[in-house]
């Protein structure tokens, strides 16, 4: 997965999936993308960067269930009083983490201190499947360019990983979008 240069084949596939949809939000343009990146001290990973600048900046139909958000917006159910989102801080995970499998007994404060960065550091929220299930595109750290599902149960990456994955598919934004466009379930056992 190349997050530095937009692969023309990925860009063409994303155009095919999104550009013809009448409900697609027009692209944001390069000026808006560069301003957002400067404000947050990041560079969006490819092909998402080119996608929002040239193809589409949101789609009510999805992915996910409640729509693909414009790149600078948060879902309406994100909630008030949450910690500041720090996109330039590296996303803290490199592998799936299911909260219930963590054997440590943590106080609510300790739990929040460990999980808040998972929600708020190094990722852009792509949208929600409802019920607190948020899809994130990692923009900084070792998982840059990967799409993760983060919810009340934990966090896991979308896409094939060594040893299998509960969410098999081609990693990255283009793979995630193509998976959705094919009408496939996110989970292997569904």
């Amino acid at each position: 997965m190349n997050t530095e240069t937009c692969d023309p084949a990925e860009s063409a596939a994303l155009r095919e999936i999104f550009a013809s949809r009448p409900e697609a939000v027009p692209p944001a343009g390069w000026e808006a993308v560069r301003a957002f990146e400067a404000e947050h001290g990041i560079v969006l990973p490819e092909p998402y960067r080119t996608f929002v600048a040239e193809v589409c900046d949101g789609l009510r139909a999805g992915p996910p269930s409640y729509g693909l958000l414009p790149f600078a917006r948060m879902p309406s159910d994100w909630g008030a009083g949450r910690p500041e989102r720090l996109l330039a801080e590296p996303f803290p995970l490199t592998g799936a983490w299911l909260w219930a499998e963590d054997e440590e007994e943590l106080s609510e404060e300790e739990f929040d201190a460990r999980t808040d960065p998972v929600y708020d550091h190094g990722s852009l929220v792509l949208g929600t499947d409802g019920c607190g299930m948020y899809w994130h595109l990692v923009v900084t750290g070792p998982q840059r360019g990967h799409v993760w599902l983060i919810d009340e149960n934990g966090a896991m990456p979308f896409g094939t990983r060594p040893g299998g994955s509960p969410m098999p598919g081609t990693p990255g934004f283009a793979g995630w979008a193509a998976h959705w466009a094919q009408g496939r379930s996110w989970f292997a056992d569904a």
Side-chain angles (χ1 to χ4, degrees), residues 29-120:
W30 284 108
E31 186 176 324
V33 168
R34 288 184 186 108
F36 179 84
E37 291 173 335
E39 177 185 346
H40 293 282
I42 62 164
V43 174
L44 295 171
E46 291 292 358
Y48 181 78
R49 184 175 195 249
T50 297
F51 170 77
V52 298
E54 297 181 359
V55 179
C56 172
D57 188 24
L59 181 68
R60 187 174 297 157
S65 295
Y66 289 91
L68 179 63
L69 291 170
F71 80 98
R73 298 235 179 98
M74 292 297 292
S76 61
D77 67 344
W78 188 252
R82 293 184 66 136
E84 179 184 1
R85 293 190 45 73
L86 302 171
L87 301 185
E89 288 291 318
F91 183 73
L93 301 179
T94 56
W97 178 24
L98 300 179
W99 316 144
E101 290 180 1
D102 196 339
E103 295 183 15
E104 289 182 54
E105 284 295 320
L106 302 172
S107 70
E108 185 176 339
E109 292 81 21
E110 292 169 322
F111 179 79
D112 288 346
R114 288 190 60 195
T115 58
D116 282 351
V118 175
Y119 284 96
D120 297 317

Coordinates of all heavy atoms in Angstrom, one line a residue, residues 29-120:
G29 N -11.3 20.1 -3.3 CA -10.3 20.9 -4.0 C -8.9 20.9 -3.3 O -8.9 20.7 -2.0
W30 N -7.9 21.1 -4.0 CA -6.5 21.0 -3.4 C -6.3 22.1 -2.4 O -5.6 21.9 -1.4 CB -5.5 21.0 -4.5 CG -5.4 19.7 -5.2 CD1 -5.8 19.4 -6.4 CD2 -4.9 18.5 -4.6 NE1 -5.6 18.1 -6.7 CE2 -5.0 17.5 -5.6 CE3 -4.3 18.2 -3.4 CZ2 -4.6 16.2 -5.4 CZ3 -3.9 16.9 -3.2 CH2 -4.1 15.9 -4.1
E31 N -6.8 23.3 -2.6 CA -6.6 24.4 -1.7 C -7.2 24.0 -0.3 O -6.5 24.3 0.8 CB -7.3 25.7 -2.2 CG -7.0 26.9 -1.3 CD -7.5 28.2 -1.9 OE1 -7.5 28.4 -3.1 OE2 -8.0 29.0 -1.1
A32 N -8.4 23.5 -0.2 CA -9.0 23.1 1.0 C -8.2 21.9 1.7 O -8.0 21.9 2.9 CB -10.4 22.7 0.8
V33 N -7.8 21.0 0.9 CA -7.0 19.9 1.5 C -5.7 20.4 2.1 O -5.3 20.0 3.2 CB -6.7 18.8 0.4 CG1 -5.7 17.8 0.8 CG2 -8.0 18.1 0.0
R34 N -5.0 21.2 1.3 CA -3.7 21.7 1.8 C -3.9 22.6 3.1 O -3.1 22.6 4.0 CB -3.0 22.5 0.7 CG -2.4 21.6 -0.3 CD -1.6 22.3 -1.4 NE -1.2 21.4 -2.5 CZ -1.8 21.4 -3.7 NH1 -2.7 22.3 -4.0 NH2 -1.4 20.5 -4.6
A35 N -5.0 23.4 3.1 CA -5.2 24.2 4.3 C -5.5 23.3 5.5 O -5.0 23.6 6.6 CB -6.4 25.2 4.0
F36 N -6.3 22.3 5.3 CA -6.6 21.3 6.4 C -5.3 20.7 6.9 O -5.1 20.6 8.1 CB -7.6 20.3 5.9 CG -8.0 19.3 7.0 CD1 -9.0 19.5 7.9 CD2 -7.3 18.0 7.0 CE1 -9.3 18.5 8.8 CE2 -7.7 17.1 7.9 CZ -8.7 17.3 8.9
E37 N -4.5 20.2 6.0 CA -3.2 19.6 6.4 C -2.3 20.5 7.1 O -1.7 20.2 8.2 CB -2.5 19.1 5.1 CG -3.2 17.9 4.4 CD -2.6 17.5 3.1 OE1 -2.0 18.4 2.4 OE2 -2.8 16.4 2.7
A38 N -2.2 21.8 6.7 CA -1.4 22.8 7.4 C -2.0 23.1 8.8 O -1.2 23.1 9.8 CB -1.3 24.1 6.6
E39 N -3.3 23.2 8.9 CA -3.9 23.4 10.2 C -3.6 22.3 11.2 O -3.4 22.6 12.4 CB -5.4 23.6 10.0 CG -6.2 23.8 11.3 CD -7.7 23.8 11.1 OE1 -8.2 24.0 10.0 OE2 -8.4 23.7 12.1
H40 N -3.6 21.1 10.7 CA -3.4 19.9 11.6 C -2.0 19.3 11.7 O -1.7 18.4 12.4 CB -4.4 18.8 11.3 CG -5.8 19.2 11.5 ND1 -6.4 19.2 12.8 CD2 -6.8 19.7 10.7 CE1 -7.6 19.7 12.7 NE2 -7.9 20.0 11.5
G41 N -1.1 19.9 10.8 CA 0.3 19.4 10.8 C 0.4 18.0 10.3 O 1.2 17.2 10.8
I42 N -0.3 17.6 9.3 CA -0.3 16.3 8.7 C -0.3 16.4 7.1 O -0.6 17.5 6.6 CB -1.5 15.5 9.1 CG1 -2.9 16.1 8.6 CG2 -1.6 15.2 10.6 CD1 -4.1 15.2 8.6
V43 N -0.1 15.3 6.5 CA -0.4 15.1 5.1 C -1.3 13.9 5.0 O -1.0 12.8 5.5 CB 0.9 14.9 4.3 CG1 0.6 14.6 2.8 CG2 1.8 16.1 4.4
L44 N -2.5 14.1 4.4 CA -3.4 13.0 4.3 C -2.8 11.9 3.4 O -2.1 12.1 2.5 CB -4.7 13.4 3.6 CG -5.5 14.4 4.4 CD1 -6.7 15.0 3.6 CD2 -6.0 13.8 5.7
P45 N -3.0 10.6 3.8 CA -2.5 9.5 3.0 C -3.2 9.4 1.6 O -4.4 9.6 1.5 CB -2.7 8.3 3.9 CG -3.9 8.6 4.7 CD -3.8 10.1 4.9
E46 N -2.4 8.9 0.6 CA -3.0 8.6 -0.7 C -3.6 7.2 -0.6 O -3.2 6.4 0.2 CB -1.9 8.7 -1.8 CG -1.4 10.1 -2.1 CD -2.4 11.0 -2.7 OE1 -3.6 10.6 -3.0 OE2 -2.1 12.1 -3.0
P47 N -4.6 6.9 -1.4 CA -5.3 7.7 -2.4 C -6.4 8.6 -1.8 O -7.0 9.4 -2.6 CB -5.9 6.7 -3.3 CG -6.3 5.6 -2.4 CD -5.2 5.6 -1.4
Y48 N -6.6 8.6 -0.5 CA -7.7 9.4 0.1 C -7.5 10.9 -0.2 O -8.4 11.6 -0.5 CB -7.8 9.2 1.6 CG -8.8 9.9 2.3 CD1 -10.2 9.5 2.2 CD2 -8.5 11.1 3.0 CE1 -11.2 10.3 2.8 CE2 -9.5 11.8 3.6 CZ -10.9 11.4 3.5 OH -11.8 12.1 4.1
R49 N -6.2 11.3 -0.1 CA -5.9 12.8 -0.3 C -6.4 13.2 -1.7 O -7.1 14.2 -1.8 CB -4.4 12.9 -0.2 CG -3.9 14.4 -0.3 CD -2.4 14.4 0.0 NE -2.0 15.8 0.3 CZ -1.2 16.5 -0.5 NH1 -0.8 16.0 -1.7 NH2 -0.9 17.7 -0.2
T50 N -6.0 12.5 -2.7 CA -6.4 12.8 -4.1 C -7.9 12.7 -4.2 O -8.6 13.5 -4.9 CB -5.7 12.0 -5.1 OG1 -4.3 12.3 -5.0 CG2 -6.2 12.3 -6.5
F51 N -8.5 11.7 -3.6 CA -9.9 11.4 -3.7 C -10.7 12.6 -3.2 O -11.6 13.1 -3.9 CB -10.3 10.2 -2.8 CG -11.7 9.9 -2.6 CD1 -12.5 9.4 -3.6 CD2 -12.3 10.2 -1.4 CE1 -13.9 9.2 -3.4 CE2 -13.7 10.0 -1.2 CZ -14.4 9.5 -2.2
V52 N -10.4 13.1 -2.0 CA -11.2 14.3 -1.5 C -10.9 15.6 -2.2 O -11.8 16.4 -2.4 CB -11.1 14.5 0.0 CG1 -11.6 13.3 0.8 CG2 -9.7 14.8 0.5
A53 N -9.7 15.7 -2.8 CA -9.4 16.9 -3.6 C -10.0 16.9 -5.0 O -10.4 17.9 -5.5 CB -7.9 17.0 -3.7
E54 N -10.1 15.7 -5.6 CA -10.5 15.7 -7.0 C -11.7 14.9 -7.3 O -12.3 15.1 -8.4 CB -9.3 15.0 -7.8 CG -8.0 15.9 -7.8 CD -6.9 15.2 -8.6 OE1 -7.1 14.2 -9.2 OE2 -5.8 15.9 -8.7
V55 N -12.2 14.0 -6.5 CA -13.3 13.1 -6.8 C -14.5 13.4 -6.1 O -15.6 13.6 -6.6 CB -12.9 11.6 -6.7 CG1 -14.0 10.6 -7.0 CG2 -11.6 11.2 -7.5
C56 N -14.5 13.3 -4.7 CA -15.7 13.4 -3.9 C -15.3 13.7 -2.5 O -14.3 13.1 -2.0 CB -16.4 12.0 -4.0 SG -17.8 11.7 -2.9
D57 N -16.1 14.5 -1.8 CA -15.8 14.8 -0.4 C -17.0 14.4 0.4 O -17.5 15.2 1.3 CB -15.5 16.3 -0.2 CG -15.0 16.6 1.2 OD1 -14.5 15.7 1.9 OD2 -15.2 17.8 1.6
G58 N -17.5 13.2 0.3 CA -18.6 12.7 1.1 C -19.7 12.1 0.2 O -19.9 12.5 -0.9
L59 N -20.4 11.1 0.8 CA -21.4 10.5 0.1 C -22.4 10.0 1.2 O -22.1 9.1 2.0 CB -20.9 9.3 -0.7 CG -21.9 8.5 -1.5 CD1 -22.5 9.4 -2.6 CD2 -21.3 7.2 -2.0
R60 N -23.7 10.5 1.1 CA -24.7 10.1 2.1 C -24.9 8.6 2.1 O -25.2 8.0 3.1 CB -26.0 10.8 1.8 CG -27.0 10.6 2.9 CD -28.2 11.5 2.7 NE -27.8 12.9 2.9 CZ -28.4 13.9 2.4 NH1 -29.5 13.7 1.7 NH2 -28.0 15.1 2.5
A61 N -24.8 7.9 0.9 CA -25.1 6.5 0.8 C -24.1 5.6 1.5 O -24.3 4.4 1.7 CB -25.2 6.1 -0.7
G62 N -22.9 6.1 1.8 CA -21.9 5.4 2.4 C -20.6 5.3 1.5 O -20.6 6.0 0.5
P63 N -19.7 4.5 1.9 CA -19.6 3.8 3.2 C -19.2 4.8 4.3 O -18.7 5.8 4.0 CB -18.4 2.8 3.0 CG -17.5 3.6 2.0 CD -18.4 4.4 1.1
P64 N -19.5 4.5 5.5 CA -20.3 3.4 6.1 C -21.8 3.6 6.1 O -22.2 4.5 5.3 CB -19.7 3.3 7.6 CG -19.3 4.7 7.8 CD -18.8 5.3 6.5
S65 N -22.5 3.0 6.9 CA -24.0 3.0 6.9 C -24.6 4.4 6.9 O -25.5 4.7 6.2 CB -24.6 2.2 8.0 OG -24.3 0.8 7.9
Y66 N -24.0 5.3 7.7 CA -24.6 6.6 7.8 C -23.8 7.6 6.9 O -23.9 8.8 7.1 CB -24.6 7.1 9.2 CG -25.7 6.3 10.0 CD1 -25.4 5.2 10.7 CD2 -27.0 6.8 10.0 CE1 -26.4 4.4 11.4 CE2 -28.0 6.1 10.7 CZ -27.7 4.9 11.4 OH -28.6 4.2 12.0
G67 N -23.1 7.1 5.9 CA -22.5 8.0 5.0 C -21.0 8.3 5.2 O -20.5 8.2 6.3
L68 N -20.3 8.5 4.1 CA -18.9 9.0 4.1 C -18.9 10.5 4.4 O -19.5 11.2 3.6 CB -18.3 8.6 2.8 CG -16.8 9.0 2.6 CD1 -15.9 8.2 3.6 CD2 -16.3 8.7 1.2
L69 N -18.3 10.8 5.5 CA -18.3 12.2 5.9 C -17.3 13.1 5.0 O -16.3 12.6 4.6 CB -17.8 12.4 7.3 CG -18.7 11.9 8.4 CD1 -18.0 11.8 9.7 CD2 -19.9 12.7 8.5
P70 N -17.6 14.3 4.8 CA -16.6 15.2 4.2 C -15.4 15.2 5.2 O -15.5 15.0 6.4 CB -17.3 16.6 4.3 CG -18.8 16.3 4.2 CD -18.9 15.0 5.0
F71 N -14.2 15.4 4.6 CA -13.0 15.1 5.3 C -12.7 16.0 6.5 O -12.0 15.6 7.4 CB -11.8 15.1 4.4 CG -11.3 16.5 4.0 CD1 -10.2 17.1 4.7 CD2 -11.9 17.2 3.0 CE1 -9.7 18.3 4.4 CE2 -11.4 18.5 2.7 CZ -10.3 19.0 3.4
A72 N -13.3 17.1 6.6 CA -13.1 18.0 7.8 C -14.2 18.0 8.8 O -14.3 18.8 9.7 CB -12.9 19.4 7.3
R73 N -15.1 17.0 8.7 CA -16.3 17.0 9.6 C -16.3 15.7 10.5 O -15.6 14.8 10.2 CB -17.6 16.9 8.7 CG -17.8 18.1 7.9 CD -19.1 18.8 8.1 NE -19.2 19.9 7.2 CZ -19.9 19.9 6.1 NH1 -20.4 18.9 5.6 NH2 -19.9 21.0 5.4
M74 N -17.1 15.9 11.6 CA -17.2 14.8 12.5 C -18.7 14.3 12.5 O -19.6 15.1 12.2 CB -16.9 15.2 13.9 CG -15.4 15.6 14.1 SD -14.3 14.2 13.9 CE -14.8 13.2 15.3
P75 N -18.9 13.0 12.8 CA -20.3 12.5 12.8 C -21.1 13.3 13.9 O -20.6 13.7 14.9 CB -20.2 11.1 13.2 CG -18.8 10.8 13.4 CD -18.0 12.0 13.2
S76 N -22.4 13.4 13.6 CA -23.3 14.2 14.6 C -23.4 13.5 15.9 O -23.7 14.1 16.9 CB -24.7 14.3 13.9 OG -25.3 13.1 13.7
D77 N -23.1 12.2 16.0 CA -23.3 11.5 17.3 C -21.9 11.3 18.0 O -21.8 10.6 18.9 CB -23.9 10.1 17.0 CG -23.0 9.1 16.2 OD1 -22.1 9.6 15.6 OD2 -23.3 7.9 16.3
W78 N -20.9 12.1 17.6 CA -19.6 12.0 18.2 C -19.6 12.4 19.7 O -18.9 11.8 20.5 CB -18.6 12.8 17.4 CG -17.2 12.6 17.9 CD1 -16.4 13.5 18.6 CD2 -16.3 11.5 17.7 NE1 -15.1 13.0 18.8 CE2 -15.1 11.7 18.2 CE3 -16.5 10.3 17.0 CZ2 -14.0 10.8 18.2 CZ3 -15.5 9.4 17.0 CH2 -14.3 9.7 17.6
G79 N -20.4 13.3 20.0 CA -20.6 13.7 21.4 C -19.8 14.9 21.8 O -18.7 15.1 21.3
A80 N -20.3 15.6 22.8 CA -19.7 16.8 23.3 C -18.8 16.4 24.4 O -18.9 15.4 25.0 CB -20.7 17.8 23.7
G81 N -17.8 17.3 24.8 CA -17.0 17.1 26.0 C -15.9 16.0 25.8 O -15.3 15.5 26.7
R82 N -15.7 15.6 24.5 CA -14.6 14.6 24.3 C -13.3 15.3 24.2 O -13.2 16.5 24.0 CB -14.9 13.9 23.0 CG -16.2 13.0 23.1 CD -16.5 12.3 21.9 NE -15.4 11.3 21.7 CZ -15.6 10.0 21.4 NH1 -16.9 9.6 21.2 NH2 -14.6 9.2 21.2
P83 N -12.2 14.5 24.4 CA -10.9 15.1 24.3 C -10.6 15.7 22.9 O -11.2 15.3 22.0 CB -9.9 14.0 24.6 CG -10.8 12.9 25.2 CD -12.2 13.1 24.8
E84 N -9.7 16.7 22.9 CA -9.3 17.3 21.6 C -8.7 16.2 20.7 O -7.9 15.4 21.1 CB -8.3 18.4 21.8 CG -7.9 19.1 20.6 CD -6.8 20.1 20.8 OE1 -6.3 20.3 22.0 OE2 -6.3 20.7 19.8
R85 N -9.1 16.3 19.4 CA -8.6 15.3 18.4 C -7.2 15.9 18.0 O -7.2 17.0 17.5 CB -9.5 15.2 17.3 CG -10.8 14.5 17.7 CD -11.7 14.0 16.6 NE -11.0 13.4 15.5 CZ -10.5 12.2 15.4 NH1 -10.6 11.4 16.5 NH2 -9.9 11.7 14.4
L86 N -6.2 15.1 18.1 CA -4.9 15.5 17.7 C -4.4 14.7 16.5 O -3.8 13.6 16.7 CB -3.9 15.4 18.9 CG -4.3 16.2 20.1 CD1 -3.4 15.8 21.3 CD2 -4.2 17.7 19.8
L87 N -4.6 15.1 15.3 CA -4.3 14.3 14.1 C -2.8 14.1 13.9 O -2.4 13.1 13.4 CB -5.0 15.0 12.9 CG -6.5 15.1 12.9 CD1 -7.0 15.7 11.6 CD2 -7.2 13.9 13.3
A88 N -2.0 15.0 14.4 CA -0.6 14.9 14.2 C 0.1 13.9 15.2 O 1.2 13.5 15.0 CB 0.1 16.3 14.3
E89 N -0.6 13.6 16.2 CA -0.1 12.6 17.2 C -0.3 11.2 16.6 O -1.4 10.9 16.0 CB -0.9 12.7 18.5 CG -0.6 13.9 19.4 CD 0.8 13.8 19.9 OE1 1.3 12.8 20.4 OE2 1.5 14.9 19.9
P90 N 0.7 10.4 16.6 CA 0.6 9.0 16.0 C -0.6 8.2 16.6 O -0.8 8.2 17.8 CB 1.9 8.4 16.3 CG 2.9 9.5 16.6 CD 2.0 10.6 17.2
F91 N -1.3 7.5 15.7 CA -2.3 6.6 16.1 C -1.6 5.5 16.9 O -0.5 5.0 16.5 CB -2.9 6.0 14.8 CG -4.0 5.0 15.1 CD1 -5.3 5.4 15.5 CD2 -3.8 3.6 14.9 CE1 -6.3 4.6 15.8 CE2 -4.9 2.7 15.1 CZ -6.1 3.2 15.6
P92 N -2.1 5.2 18.1 CA -1.3 4.4 19.1 C -1.3 2.9 18.8 O -0.5 2.2 19.5 CB -2.0 4.7 20.4 CG -3.4 5.0 20.0 CD -3.3 5.7 18.7
L93 N -2.1 2.3 17.9 CA -2.2 0.9 17.8 C -1.5 0.4 16.5 O -1.5 1.1 15.5 CB -3.6 0.4 17.8 CG -4.5 0.8 19.0 CD1 -5.9 0.3 18.8 CD2 -3.9 0.2 20.3
T94 N -1.0 -0.8 16.6 CA -0.5 -1.5 15.4 C -1.2 -2.8 15.1 O -1.1 -3.4 14.1 CB 1.0 -1.8 15.5 OG1 1.3 -2.5 16.6 CG2 1.8 -0.5 15.5
G95 N -2.0 -3.3 16.1 CA -2.8 -4.5 16.0 C -4.1 -4.3 16.7 O -4.3 -3.4 17.5
A96 N -5.1 -5.2 16.4 CA -6.4 -5.1 17.0 C -6.3 -5.2 18.5 O -5.4 -5.8 19.1 CB -7.2 -6.3 16.5
W97 N -7.2 -4.5 19.2 CA -7.3 -4.4 20.6 C -8.8 -4.5 21.0 O -9.5 -3.6 20.8 CB -6.6 -3.2 21.2 CG -6.7 -3.1 22.7 CD1 -6.9 -4.0 23.6 CD2 -6.6 -1.8 23.4 NE1 -6.9 -3.5 24.9 CE2 -6.7 -2.2 24.8 CE3 -6.5 -0.5 23.1 CZ2 -6.7 -1.2 25.8 CZ3 -6.4 0.4 24.1 CH2 -6.5 0.1 25.5
L98 N -9.2 -5.6 21.6 CA -10.5 -5.8 22.1 C -10.5 -5.5 23.6 O -9.8 -6.1 24.3 CB -11.1 -7.2 21.8 CG -11.1 -7.5 20.3 CD1 -11.7 -8.9 20.1 CD2 -12.0 -6.5 19.6
W99 N -11.2 -4.5 24.0 CA -11.1 -4.0 25.4 C -11.4 -5.2 26.4 O -10.7 -5.3 27.4 CB -12.1 -2.9 25.7 CG -12.4 -1.8 24.7 CD1 -13.6 -1.2 24.5 CD2 -11.4 -1.1 23.9 NE1 -13.4 -0.2 23.6 CE2 -12.1 -0.1 23.2 CE3 -10.1 -1.2 23.7 CZ2 -11.5 0.8 22.3 CZ3 -9.5 -0.3 22.8 CH2 -10.2 0.7 22.1
A100 N -12.3 -6.0 26.1 CA -12.7 -7.1 27.1 C -11.6 -8.1 27.2 O -11.5 -8.8 28.2 CB -14.0 -7.8 26.6
E101 N -10.7 -8.2 26.2 CA -9.6 -9.2 26.3 C -8.4 -8.6 27.1 O -7.5 -9.4 27.4 CB -9.1 -9.6 24.9 CG -10.1 -10.4 24.2 CD -9.7 -10.8 22.8 OE1 -8.6 -10.4 22.3 OE2 -10.5 -11.5 22.1
D102 N -8.5 -7.4 27.5 CA -7.4 -6.8 28.3 C -7.6 -7.3 29.7 O -8.7 -6.9 30.3 CB -7.5 -5.3 28.2 CG -6.2 -4.6 28.7 OD1 -5.5 -5.3 29.4 OD2 -6.0 -3.5 28.3
E103 N -6.7 -8.0 30.2 CA -6.9 -8.7 31.5 C -6.8 -7.7 32.7 O -7.1 -8.1 33.8 CB -6.0 -9.9 31.7 CG -6.3 -10.9 30.7 CD -5.4 -12.2 30.8 OE1 -4.7 -12.3 31.8 OE2 -5.4 -13.0 29.9
E104 N -6.2 -6.6 32.5 CA -6.0 -5.6 33.6 C -7.4 -5.1 34.0 O -8.2 -4.8 33.2 CB -5.2 -4.4 33.1 CG -3.7 -4.7 32.9 CD -3.0 -3.5 32.5 OE1 -3.1 -2.5 33.3 OE2 -2.4 -3.5 31.5
E105 N -7.6 -4.9 35.3 CA -8.7 -4.2 35.9 C -8.4 -2.8 36.0 O -7.4 -2.4 36.7 CB -9.1 -4.8 37.2 CG -9.8 -6.1 37.2 CD -11.2 -6.1 36.5 OE1 -11.9 -5.1 36.7 OE2 -11.4 -7.0 35.7
L106 N -9.0 -1.9 35.2 CA -8.7 -0.5 35.2 C -9.9 0.3 35.7 O -11.1 -0.1 35.5 CB -8.4 -0.1 33.7 CG -7.3 -0.7 33.0 CD1 -7.3 -0.3 31.5 CD2 -6.0 -0.4 33.6
S107 N -9.6 1.4 36.4 CA -10.6 2.3 36.8 C -11.1 3.0 35.5 O -10.5 2.9 34.5 CB -10.1 3.3 37.7 OG -9.2 4.2 37.1
E108 N -12.3 3.6 35.6 CA -12.8 4.3 34.4 C -11.9 5.4 33.9 O -11.7 5.5 32.7 CB -14.2 5.0 34.8 CG -14.8 5.6 33.6 CD -16.2 6.2 33.9 OE1 -16.8 5.8 34.9 OE2 -16.7 7.0 33.1
E109 N -11.2 6.1 34.8 CA -10.2 7.1 34.4 C -9.0 6.5 33.7 O -8.5 7.0 32.7 CB -9.7 7.9 35.7 CG -10.8 8.8 36.3 CD -11.7 8.0 37.2 OE1 -11.4 6.9 37.7 OE2 -12.9 8.5 37.5
E110 N -8.5 5.3 34.2 CA -7.4 4.6 33.6 C -7.8 4.1 32.2 O -7.0 4.2 31.3 CB -6.9 3.5 34.5 CG -6.2 3.9 35.8 CD -6.0 2.8 36.7 OE1 -6.9 1.9 36.8 OE2 -4.9 2.8 37.4
F111 N -9.0 3.5 32.1 CA -9.5 3.0 30.9 C -9.6 4.1 29.8 O -9.1 4.0 28.7 CB -10.9 2.3 31.1 CG -11.4 1.8 29.8 CD1 -11.0 0.6 29.3 CD2 -12.4 2.5 29.1 CE1 -11.5 0.1 28.1 CE2 -13.0 2.0 28.0 CZ -12.5 0.8 27.4
D112 N -10.2 5.3 30.2 CA -10.3 6.4 29.3 C -8.9 6.9 28.9 O -8.7 7.3 27.7 CB -11.1 7.5 30.0 CG -12.6 7.2 30.1 OD1 -13.1 6.2 29.4 OD2 -13.3 7.9 30.8
A113 N -8.0 7.0 29.8 CA -6.6 7.4 29.5 C -6.0 6.6 28.5 O -5.2 7.0 27.6 CB -5.8 7.5 30.8
R114 N -6.3 5.3 28.5 CA -5.7 4.3 27.5 C -6.4 4.3 26.2 O -5.9 4.1 25.1 CB -5.6 2.9 28.1 CG -4.5 2.8 29.1 CD -4.3 1.5 29.6 NE -3.8 0.6 28.5 CZ -3.8 -0.7 28.6 NH1 -4.2 -1.3 29.7 NH2 -3.4 -1.4 27.6
T115 N -7.8 4.5 26.2 CA -8.6 4.4 25.0 C -8.8 5.7 24.3 O -9.0 5.7 23.0 CB -9.9 3.7 25.3 OG1 -10.7 4.5 26.2 CG2 -9.8 2.3 25.7
D116 N -8.8 6.8 25.0 CA -9.0 8.1 24.3 C -8.1 8.4 23.1 O -8.5 8.8 22.1 CB -9.0 9.3 25.3 CG -10.2 9.4 26.2 OD1 -11.2 8.7 25.9 OD2 -10.2 10.2 27.1
P117 N -6.8 8.1 23.3 CA -5.9 8.3 22.1 C -6.2 7.4 20.9 O -6.0 7.8 19.8 CB -4.5 7.9 22.7 CG -4.6 8.1 24.2 CD -6.0 7.7 24.5
V118 N -6.8 6.2 21.2 CA -7.2 5.4 20.1 C -8.3 6.1 19.2 O -8.3 6.0 18.0 CB -7.7 4.0 20.6 CG1 -8.3 3.1 19.4 CG2 -6.6 3.3 21.3
Y119 N -9.2 6.7 19.9 CA -10.3 7.5 19.2 C -9.8 8.8 18.6 O -10.3 9.2 17.6 CB -11.5 7.8 20.2 CG -12.3 6.6 20.5 CD1 -12.2 5.9 21.7 CD2 -13.4 6.3 19.7 CE1 -13.0 4.8 22.0 CE2 -14.3 5.3 20.0 CZ -14.0 4.5 21.2 OH -14.9 3.5 21.5
D120 N -8.9 9.4 19.3 CA -8.6 10.8 19.0 C -7.2 11.2 18.5 O -7.0 12.3 18.1 CB -8.8 11.7 20.3 CG -10.3 11.6 20.8 OD1 -11.2 11.7 19.9 OD2 -10.5 11.5 22.0

